Amino acid sequence: MGNGVVGAILGVVFATLFQQWTQDVWFRIRRRSAGVVRSITFRERQALAWSTFSLGPLHTSALVVEGDGDRAIAAESIHVQVLDGEIALPEEMAAWRDEIEAEESRAEAAGDRAPVWNGPRYAVEGLEISRSALDERSEVHLRLRPTDYYTFLAAQQLDRRLPDGCTPRSRYLDPEDPLAAPAFLQCSFAVNIAVVTSDHLLVVSRRSNRVRMAPGVWNSSVH
């Protein structure tokens, strides 16, 4: 009996002395746990912020920056502005374009092969994505500048060493912010269309073996 009374008294004393401390410790543990969960969830959401294009089980390296593949972006919501003045390569890369032009001229003169056609293209100077005021539909604003195919080929040499030892990839590309790439690295604006038949078959095309970029590779239905 006496032991029970002493135990009860000690229990009350300990509860009184350590109740606030215990609550504080428990609060800190819960807060830290919640912070860890939020941090993990935030990282997962960040990782999913940039998703690559996929079609069924086929996953590609093409980056999707707008749209869910279900609801089309209305034509009137796409605003395109073509600016004056061609895109210029940085000084240390300009010689690469000259090399390509000289090689194609030499090949044409020697009759070794059909030269690459230096056709006109567009470079993406800017891309802004917003939403309409009332129905929250996607609105896309594109700013383009003229360029050519030789400039595109020169800019694709992302891992070629510059005079200081770095590469265009390391100097000009931020993997965390792909839309911040300079216009000369976005100088092949194109439209790709996936054609799906009424019996749910995908129509694809194969690139010629005579092209400079990705010869013989299977490509979208229409490019």
Side-chain angles (χ1 to χ4, degrees), residues 21-41:
W21 178 84
T22 305
Q23 289 178 345
D24 291 343
V25 171
W26 175 241
F27 177 76
R28 286 196 295 269
I29 293 174
R30 289 182 57 187
R31 185 171 57 184
R32 289 177 181 175
S33 300
V36 170
V37 171
R38 283 196 299 270
S39 177
I40 294 173
T41 305

Side-chain angles (χ1 to χ4, degrees), residues 113 116 149 152-153 156 205-219 223:
R113 55 176 171 78
V116 172
Y149 191 60
F152 165 72
L153 291 178
Q156 290 303 295
S205 61
R206 192 168 192 173
R207 293 175 60 84
S208 168
N209 287 320
R210 294 174 55 186
V211 298
R212 288 286 298 270
M213 296 299 299
V217 173
W218 290 102
N219 204 354
H223 180 208

Side-chain angles (χ1 to χ4, degrees), residues 37-223:
V37 171
R38 283 196 299 270
S39 177
I40 294 173
T41 305
F42 179 72
R43 285 198 298 268
E44 289 177 349
R45 289 177 180 173
Q46 274 192 320
L48 295 174
W50 299 106
S51 59
T52 55
F53 174 76
S54 62
L55 189 65
L58 176 64
H59 294 268
T60 75
S61 58
L63 188 66
V64 179
V65 298
E66 179 63 5
D68 56 8
D70 183 33
R71 187 170 66 174
I73 301 175
E76 60 271 17
S77 298
I78 301 176
H79 310 276
V80 180
Q81 181 184 13
V82 179
L83 306 173
D84 295 329
E86 293 190 2
I87 286 299
L89 289 167
E91 184 178 354
E92 64 267 27
M93 295 175 62
W96 301 358
R97 185 194 179 284
D98 296 338
E99 291 174 5
I100 294 170
E101 185 171 16
E103 171 58 25
E104 294 304 318
S105 298
R106 185 207 62 78
E108 183 179 18
D112 295 343
R113 55 176 171 78
V116 172
W117 179 55
N118 187 31
R121 307 175 84 86
Y122 284 116
V124 180
E125 175 83 5
L127 170 65
E128 286 84 34
I129 300 169
S130 58
R131 296 288 183 268
S132 59
L134 298 179
D135 51 13
E136 291 289 322
R137 291 186 175 231
S138 296
E139 287 191 344
V140 177
H141 295 259
L142 267 173
R143 298 194 310 279
L144 307 177
R145 283 191 185 275
T147 185
D148 59 22
Y149 191 60
Y150 288 170
T151 300
F152 165 72
L153 291 178
Q156 290 303 295
Q157 303 178 67
L158 294 175
D159 297 309
R160 183 173 174 176
R161 294 292 176 183
L162 296 166
D164 63 357
C166 67
T167 65
R169 186 188 304 277
S170 63
R171 174 175 291 182
Y172 297 110
L173 292 180
D174 180 359
E176 299 297 328
D177 190 7
L179 297 184
F184 69 86
L185 291 183
Q186 303 186 72
C187 56
S188 184
F189 176 74
V191 176
N192 291 268
I193 301 173
V195 177
V196 180
T197 64
S198 59
D199 53 351
H200 307 294
L201 295 177
L202 173 66
V203 179
V204 296
S205 61
R206 192 168 192 173
R207 293 175 60 84
S208 168
N209 287 320
R210 294 174 55 186
V211 298
R212 288 286 298 270
M213 296 299 299
V217 173
W218 290 102
N219 204 354
S220 55
S221 311
V222 182
H223 180 208

